[in-house]
Amino acid sequence: MLIKSKKHLAASSFCGLLLLFGAIVTLLTLLTTMSMMKNMESGYFNNLCSHTPEAVAPRNLRLRLSHAVSTLRCLTIPKCYPTVRCLDDKAPMQIPIRHEWEQQAFCVSDLTEKSSDDKCLIYSFGINGSTEWEEKMHEEFGCEVFAFDPTSKLPRDVAPGVTFHEIGLQGDEVDVSKTHSHQYDALDASKLLTLGEIIDQMGHTGRKIDVLRLDCEGCEWGVLKQLACSGESELVEQLMVEMHFQKNLGLSTDEDILTAADAIACLEREHWGVASMEVSGCGPADAQYHELALKIIRGPFFLLYVTMKRLPEEQQVWHGYPNHATSYAHIVSNVANNVLPEYETYDVYPTKEKD
């Protein structure tokens, strides 16, 4: 009996040691995974601002593209990306114009709350020969309005309160001289400047732009990245952006997809939220997409009108995208095993039925 008890005790002790060893291994694995996730997440957002390809982590291209698709999908899904209200908790409003498809909601109350001595400043890029919205902004709010378009030929004093300049925006890592809709002429690269250069040229150094409107046929991704990742977005109160997802309007290569995702990630890092999001459409001639863009868009002619402003301090607690922080280790493991996350692809090019 004594011998059996000793054997039983030895066996129990051995099993206990195995369980303890297993628990230690599990704990170490968990701590390592958490550390990797934290380093990857902080590295991704912190390194976006360094403007060097090597700095964007993780370096594995497939993993980066998977992350980019996740980021851009979050932007296109209502309430996935952080939302923000206008001043006094008022909803965004549209300014009525004849071309209804050009109407876009923004925080009107943010302009009406300004003092009479503090004249609002509006920059509008991509007017395509029409200044109706710009004129309304001057008439309704007394703003100083500057309209820009490198493809339009208009007089400098185009309308009361509206000044026109035949120049356009150039952002990071996107050659917009090669990015244009079938509806417009190719862009002259010599007419493209960064926002900082334009602000200096206009004599507005030190002033904040109350509304920056971008309808520049594909320049928006590089411009948004340059603004947010450099910190220049602090010069702007509201962003009104027409976001294009088509091949000839900014998203034609893997690098374009990464640039667009970098822009959105940097905007999040700078605490920008979505005040308004409206689905619109492109022309049929422009409806051609990169294969990854098909996993982002929500329809065959997909465009988004997005208005953004900074989150108030009490809302600046959102860190990363809902499916990012919890999926880093899972994605890393899947990539190592040659398995990538499955995303729904929109059937933009349905197979034609045979006669």
Side-chain angles (χ1 to χ4, degrees):
M1 179 67 68
L2 181 59
I3 294 174
K4 287 184 178 180
S5 297
K6 288 182 177 179
K7 288 182 177 179
H8 180 72
L9 181 60
S12 298
S13 298
F14 181 71
C15 290
L17 287 172
L18 284 177
L19 290 173
L20 179 60
F21 179 76
I24 292 173
V25 170
T26 301
L27 179 60
L28 289 174
T29 302
L30 179 61
L31 291 173
T32 301
T33 301
M34 291 174 63
S35 176
M36 179 185 68
M37 289 167 60
K38 184 177 180 180
N39 290 338
M40 288 176 64
E41 182 175 6
S42 62
Y44 181 80
F45 288 109
N46 291 337
N47 290 333
L48 280 174
C49 300
S50 65
H51 298 283
T52 59
E54 293 78 16
V56 182
R59 294 176 182 175
N60 183 291
L61 178 59
R62 297 173 67 216
L63 178 57
R64 290 170 57 200
L65 287 170
S66 176
H67 187 281
V69 168
S70 179
T71 298
L72 292 169
R73 280 173 63 87
C74 182
L75 175 72
T76 65
I77 298 172
K79 297 184 180 180
C80 178
Y81 194 85
T83 57
V84 61
R85 298 287 288 180
C86 305
L87 287 179
D88 296 332
D89 203 36
K90 294 180 180 178
M93 296 175 58
Q94 295 179 342
I95 298 298
I97 55 176
R98 290 190 303 274
H99 295 163
E100 294 182 1
W101 61 88
E102 294 287 347
Q103 293 179 171
Q104 180 177 351
F106 67 101
C107 290
V108 172
S109 58
D110 288 38
L111 296 183
T112 58
E113 293 294 324
K114 291 178 71 73
S115 67
S116 57
D117 297 331
D118 187 12
K119 185 172 287 190
C120 46
L121 179 62
I122 309 293
Y123 276 18
S124 180
F125 290 90
I127 63 170
N128 190 29
S130 173
T131 59
E132 184 183 6
W133 182 85
E134 290 73 18
E135 291 175 48
K136 282 287 186 73
M137 293 299 290
H138 175 68
E139 294 169 5
E140 296 289 336
F141 307 107
C143 297
E144 292 182 76
V145 184
F146 291 79
F148 307 90
D149 196 319
T151 68
S152 296
K153 301 287 186 181
L154 297 172
R156 178 66 58 90
D157 298 319
V158 65
V162 181
T163 304
F164 173 74
H165 295 273
E166 193 180 338
I167 53 179
L169 277 173
Q170 175 72 61
D172 275 357
E173 300 179 17
V174 177
D175 182 3
V176 297
S177 65
K178 299 177 182 177
T179 303
H180 57 279
S181 169
H182 290 295
Q183 303 176 49
Y184 309 106
D185 296 331
L187 302 183
D188 180 353
S190 67
K191 297 180 180 179
L192 304 178
L193 303 172
T194 67
L195 181 63
E197 291 170 338
I198 292 174
I199 288 174
D200 289 343
Q201 192 174 112
M202 298 298 107
H204 295 150
T205 303
R207 289 186 66 182
K208 281 207 172 186
I209 301 170
D210 290 278
V211 178
L212 174 62
R213 189 179 190 221
L214 299 177
D215 182 6
C216 51
E217 308 307 318
C219 84
E220 66 272 8
W221 300 117
V223 169
L224 289 174
K225 179 176 179 179
Q226 191 275 330
L227 281 175
C229 297
S230 69
E232 280 193 1
S233 65
E234 293 185 356
L235 302 172
V236 180
E237 296 288 353
Q238 284 191 71
L239 284 167
M240 295 177 65
V241 189
E242 182 174 329
M243 293 183 173
H244 304 84
F245 300 84
Q246 293 71 32
K247 271 188 175 181
N248 65 317
L249 294 173
L251 295 185
S252 61
T253 67
D254 288 351
E255 288 302 319
D256 292 336
I257 298 289
L258 293 172
T259 294
D262 287 353
I264 300 307
C266 279
L267 284 168
E268 178 271 319
R269 191 173 185 271
E270 291 294 304
H271 305 299
W272 285 84
V274 172
S276 173
M277 180 185 294
E278 305 159 85
V279 177
S280 186
C282 69
D286 290 325
Q288 299 293 322
Y289 298 88
H290 185 284
E291 60 180 349
L292 292 179
L294 295 176
K295 299 178 179 182
I296 299 165
I297 62 175
R298 321 302 296 179
F301 308 108
F302 191 70
L303 288 181
L304 277 182
Y305 286 135
V306 179
T307 297
M308 308 181 78
K309 57 177 292 189
R310 287 185 181 277
L311 297 165
E313 285 191 17
E314 61 269 20
Q315 281 187 251
Q316 294 181 5
V317 295
W318 185 82
H319 301 291
Y321 302 89
N323 58 336
H324 280 185
T326 59
S327 63
Y328 269 120
H330 180 65
I331 292 177
V332 171
S333 174
N334 282 345
V335 170
N337 294 308
N338 203 34
V339 178
L340 287 177
E342 291 294 328
Y343 293 110
E344 177 185 354
T345 298
Y346 192 87
D347 189 11
V348 172
Y349 314 116
T351 304
K352 294 183 179 179
E353 295 182 3
K354 295 182 179 179
D355 296 333

